[in-house]
């Protein structure tokens, strides 16, 4: 007998629902081809479903390449280049890295393209509105304090509410 799982609900959200918020990602001056979106969906499970689709990551011209890039929610929604006004990782509970609410799974870029979906209960959509999503040049090492040694900020987008 079929029993629905959270994944069934998540698939429905991705294919039929409007996200509650979105961050349109733009690249910095050294990565102007970088672009994409990070969408945030409210769920009936009390957390947030996050869908990220990023184009133009630095390994775009290396045939068959793959590389990891850090992705975080930062305190401030100021994506003025060179993205140095985004503040620290979003960390409302003053946790050590990598337990900040803004510490997100790294992106796996395959020849410049990354797509991922994940569920997170460490933050809610209303709490992250007006903050930023930042893409970094290297993978987060999940160890270094205070922010994982993930390199330069190569992409940024302000998290904005989506209105129907």
């Amino acid at each position: 007998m079929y029993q629905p799982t959270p994944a069934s609900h998540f698939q429905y959200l991705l294919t039929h629902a409007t996200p509650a918020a979105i961050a349109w990602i733009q690249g910095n001056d050294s990565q102007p081809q970088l672009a994409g979106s990070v969408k945030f969906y409210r769920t009936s499970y009390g957390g947030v479903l996050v869908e990220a689709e990023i184009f133009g990551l630095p390994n775009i011209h290396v045939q068959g390449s793959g590389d990891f890039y850090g992705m975080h929610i930062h305190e401030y929604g100021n994506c003025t280049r060179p993205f140095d006004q985004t503040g620290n990782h979003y960390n409302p509970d003053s946790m050590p890295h990598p337990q900040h609410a803004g510490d997100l799974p790294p992106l796996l870029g395959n020849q410049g393209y990354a797509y991922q979906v994940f569920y997170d209960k460490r933050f809610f959509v209303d709490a992250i509105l007006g903050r930023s999503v930042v893409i970094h040049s290297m993978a987060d090492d999940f160890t270094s304090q205070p922010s994982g040694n993930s390199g330069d900020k190569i992409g940024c987008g302000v998290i904005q509410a989506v209105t129907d």
Side-chain angles (χ1 to χ4, degrees):
M1 183 164 108
Y2 173 75
Q3 293 291 323
T5 67
S8 302
H9 174 65
F10 298 161
Q11 290 169 346
Y12 178 84
L13 289 175
L14 292 172
T15 57
H16 295 89
T18 300
I22 190 167
W24 294 103
I25 305 299
Q26 63 177 348
N28 66 6
D29 290 338
S30 67
Q31 302 295 326
Q33 76 286 352
L34 195 148
S37 64
V38 180
K39 298 175 184 175
F40 301 88
Y41 296 85
R42 289 186 177 94
T43 76
S44 59
Y45 296 96
V48 178
L49 185 66
V50 181
E51 178 186 36
E53 185 174 32
I54 308 297
F55 302 88
L57 289 162
N59 63 347
I60 191 169
H61 299 296
V62 181
Q63 188 68 29
S65 65
D67 209 349
F68 287 97
Y69 301 91
M71 182 170 69
H72 306 105
I73 296 172
H74 281 248
E75 295 174 297
Y76 309 124
N78 184 344
C79 287
T80 304
R81 289 180 178 145
F83 311 142
D84 58 353
Q85 300 299 310
T86 59
N88 295 318
H89 293 179
Y90 173 57
N91 189 12
D93 297 322
S94 299
M95 301 295 287
H97 181 74
Q99 297 165 349
H100 304 153
D103 290 333
L104 305 179
L107 291 168
L108 173 57
N110 289 284
Q111 199 169 333
Y113 176 75
Y115 178 79
Q116 74 179 17
V117 176
F118 60 92
Y119 172 69
D120 201 318
K121 281 187 98 165
R122 296 173 300 154
F123 59 86
F124 298 97
V125 172
D126 292 343
I128 60 170
L129 292 175
R131 301 185 190 285
S132 59
V133 174
V134 173
I135 310 298
H136 294 268
S137 61
M138 301 184 320
D140 189 316
D141 67 14
F142 299 108
T143 303
S144 301
Q145 298 299 324
S147 59
N149 195 29
S150 51
D152 294 335
K153 297 173 181 177
I154 61 172
C156 187
V158 178
I159 303 168
Q160 301 173 347
V162 173
T163 55
D164 291 333

